[in-house]
Amino acid sequence: MPNYTLGEERFKNKSKDAENTLSASDMAIIISHLLKKYPQVLNTTKVVKSSFVDGKTITPMQNWNWMLKGLSQYDPNYPVDGLKTGTTDAAGACFASTMKKNGRRLVTVVMGAQHASGEDPSRFIQTKKLLKYIFDNYSSKKIKQGFSFASVRRVKVINGKEKSAPVYVKEPTVIWLPKEQQLSDLKVKFSKKEIHAPQISGKTVGRYYLINKPVLNSNKDIAIKATVHQDIKQANLLVRIWNRLFNHQQSSSKKANSSVATAQKDKNFRPYQDPKDLVKAGSWDKKSESKKHPNLTKVKDLWLRVSLKGNRTYIMSGKKPIYTMLSTGGVYHKNKSDTPTGTYHIQPERGDSFYNHKLNEGAKYYVSWKDHGVYLFHSVPTKSDGSIDKKEAKKLGKSQGSHGCIRLSIPDSKWLATTVPVGTKVVIKNN
């Protein structure tokens, strides 16, 4: 609703024509709360046709969701039972669909579809394309109660009769993963370094976090409750006193060793020498090298090499870097970057711009290299109005600063996003 329609509730510091703006993920959050708290809404949204009686007047109505059974865009492969259409000049034709698949409810949000007329089915056609993409590339995987992740089979126990205890998934859980990914491939971390005795069997003792599997509109990983199958009993008093003294001495020793390691830290993290024509670090509006960008479709043995601590991204031809770009990777926490290290491949998702309302940050020219749109190569960050965040941009080539993606200059990001082939190998290392 435009601000001028709100009467006394209007925002005093906004123009009369200002309107609320929601992203697709914002809308998905609202829908998630709606369906969890008021699931009975689906009893209404799945109704195809109904007649409304007002005295002697009977008004027949048809649902605007044309993907319902019996209407023009129905497809048995996508048996939706809701949820809402909407059209505005700013947002175009929009549609939020929901359906059940393998016992799990899915929600899709389409915005900005074509709206040539009231008979235009574009929003539904785009929704079917989105659902097809999900079903072609993802499948639901059930994690059974009692499942044990290979990477976190046991957790250290403080003041227990046993020094460690096996941990297991507390409740059955279903998650959606790329079809080629198996549960055994999942990278998992535990929410606690240790648990304290006593613990009761069946109670939540911590959570598994599925690394790089963020939840809706957040960088936080999917969390799964963990438990123990047997009671963990407390050690006797003398053992507990000894453990407290020993742990205090060990902690003091670690702090001293950490200070020595920091002082001796090697500052040269770059695997290759910078080329002579490399621009000055912090130059976000220029190509990183004065020479022409290489034609990536003609590069032999093409791959990309990222040095997170070196703040460089290299276009590689076999063992030789042929173009060097200033870059900025993820912030380090306890000597671990928010950018995952390892070997990945360029994915199909790419575009001219995006904006993340949760992070209050966007970027221009992006291409995905992990988790289909979660981890990207993209430009230095932009603000909500599309302008460059110059404070962050000046970090380019100097220091880490991203939430996990790899930032590049505007010209470099545009060139890479529009030309790098799908499937190109990407190797990300700290050094």
Side-chain angles (χ1 to χ4, degrees):
M1 293 181 290
N3 198 26
Y4 71 84
T5 67
L6 302 181
E8 293 182 357
E9 301 298 324
R10 69 184 183 280
F11 291 88
K12 305 297 189 294
N13 60 339
K14 300 295 181 182
S15 74
K16 65 182 182 65
D17 295 319
E19 295 183 47
N20 289 321
T21 302
L22 285 80
S23 68
S25 55
D26 292 335
M27 185 59 69
I29 289 173
I30 292 172
I31 293 168
S32 176
H33 285 294
L34 172 68
L35 295 179
K36 287 176 181 177
K37 192 168 184 179
Y38 304 105
Q40 63 270 29
V41 71
L42 296 171
N43 295 332
T44 300
T45 62
K46 68 184 180 182
V47 175
V48 178
K49 296 179 181 180
S50 186
S51 294
F52 291 81
V53 179
D54 181 12
K56 295 182 179 180
T57 303
I58 299 176
T59 305
M61 298 276 299
Q62 177 182 293
N63 201 316
W64 285 103
N65 176 4
W66 299 346
M67 288 185 69
L68 294 174
K69 188 174 183 178
L71 299 182
S72 61
Q73 292 300 310
Y74 171 71
D75 187 324
N77 294 310
Y78 314 116
V80 302
D81 51 7
L83 187 66
K84 183 72 175 70
T85 60
T87 308
T88 71
D89 292 340
C94 305
F95 178 50
S97 85
T98 182
M99 60 169 283
K100 272 199 170 183
K101 175 79 171 179
N102 298 339
R104 298 286 290 180
R105 183 157 292 281
L106 297 179
V107 169
T108 66
V109 179
V110 166
M111 289 179 159
Q114 176 183 285
H115 188 59
S117 70
E119 304 299 318
D120 194 334
S122 295
R123 71 187 85 194
F124 307 110
I125 293 171
Q126 297 301 327
T127 295
K128 283 185 271 191
K129 286 182 180 179
L130 183 53
L131 288 167
K132 184 178 186 304
Y133 176 83
I134 295 170
F135 300 156
D136 286 349
N137 292 280
Y138 291 82
S139 61
S140 58
K141 307 285 174 67
K142 184 174 183 179
I143 302 176
K144 295 181 179 180
Q145 181 179 359
F147 181 82
S148 176
F149 289 102
S151 56
V152 190
R153 291 198 185 279
R154 300 184 72 89
V155 175
K156 183 179 178 181
V157 176
I158 301 297
N159 292 331
K161 286 189 174 183
E162 302 292 335
K163 292 184 178 180
S164 67
V167 287
Y168 308 91
V169 172
K170 182 181 178 182
E171 303 162 344
T173 305
V174 176
I175 60 173
W176 283 80
L177 296 173
K179 283 188 174 180
E180 67 274 11
Q181 187 169 23
Q182 302 300 318
L183 293 178
S184 56
D185 300 331
L186 286 173
K187 292 184 178 180
V188 177
K189 62 183 178 182
F190 201 67
S191 61
K192 300 178 180 179
K193 292 182 179 179
E194 59 214 12
I195 58 177
H196 290 256
Q199 295 286 346
I200 300 173
S201 173
K203 297 290 185 180
T204 301
V205 298
R207 285 170 171 78
Y208 299 102
Y209 287 103
L210 307 187
I211 299 175
N212 302 329
K213 301 294 178 190
V215 296
L216 184 63
N217 206 29
S218 170
N219 286 332
K220 293 182 179 179
D221 300 320
I222 292 174
I224 298 174
K225 292 180 181 179
T227 189
V228 290
H229 282 346
Q230 294 181 341
D231 291 348
I232 300 176
K233 296 182 179 180
Q234 200 173 47
N236 64 52
L237 180 61
L238 290 176
V239 171
R240 300 203 304 270
I241 293 172
W242 168 254
N243 286 343
R244 182 177 297 178
L245 292 172
F246 178 77
N247 289 335
H248 176 73
Q249 292 172 350
Q250 196 175 47
S251 176
S252 299
S253 175
K254 283 183 178 179
K255 287 181 180 178
N257 290 336
S258 176
S259 299
V260 173
T262 302
Q264 296 175 345
K265 197 173 180 181
D266 182 5
K267 295 182 179 180
N268 185 12
F269 295 113
R270 291 167 199 147
Y272 307 103
Q273 186 174 354
D274 283 346
K276 293 182 179 180
D277 65 342
L278 190 72
V279 297
K280 184 180 178 181
S283 302
W284 54 267
D285 56 348
K286 302 175 182 176
K287 291 190 301 179
S288 291
E289 288 194 61
S290 58
K291 67 184 181 184
K292 187 177 180 181
H293 283 130
N295 185 339
L296 297 183
T297 61
K298 295 183 179 180
V299 175
K300 186 177 180 181
D301 297 327
L302 171 68
W303 59 290
L304 277 64
R305 166 75 160 84
V306 178
S307 171
L308 294 174
K309 291 186 177 180
N311 302 299
R312 298 289 187 270
T313 295
Y314 305 93
I315 305 298
M316 304 293 296
S317 176
K319 296 181 179 180
K320 180 183 177 183
I322 60 172
Y323 195 89
T324 301
M325 296 184 287
L326 302 179
S327 61
T328 292
V331 175
Y332 276 78
H333 304 279
K334 296 182 180 178
N335 206 32
K336 185 175 182 181
S337 172
D338 285 342
T339 302
T341 56
T343 300
Y344 308 97
H345 293 85
I346 294 295
Q347 297 174 325
E349 294 78 12
R350 62 184 74 202
D352 290 340
S353 66
F354 70 89
Y355 187 77
N356 187 321
H357 288 268
K358 185 75 172 181
L359 301 176
N360 292 322
E361 184 177 282
K364 300 177 183 293
Y365 311 116
Y366 65 88
V367 60
S368 176
W369 50 267
K370 187 177 188 307
D371 292 345
H372 297 282
V374 177
Y375 291 97
L376 315 166
F377 287 106
H378 62 64
S379 76
V380 291
T382 56
K383 300 178 181 179
S384 58
D385 61 0
S387 63
I388 300 297
D389 185 338
K390 292 184 179 180
K391 181 180 178 181
E392 287 295 314
K394 289 178 180 178
K395 295 179 181 179
L396 189 68
K398 293 181 181 179
S399 61
Q400 298 80 40
S402 82
H403 300 281
C405 294
I406 305 297
R407 299 173 181 172
L408 304 170
S409 73
I410 300 291
D412 286 346
S413 62
K414 183 177 182 180
W415 161 68
L416 191 71
T418 54
T419 63
V420 66
V422 173
T424 301
K425 184 170 73 171
V426 178
V427 177
I428 298 179
K429 296 184 178 182
N430 288 306
N431 297 346

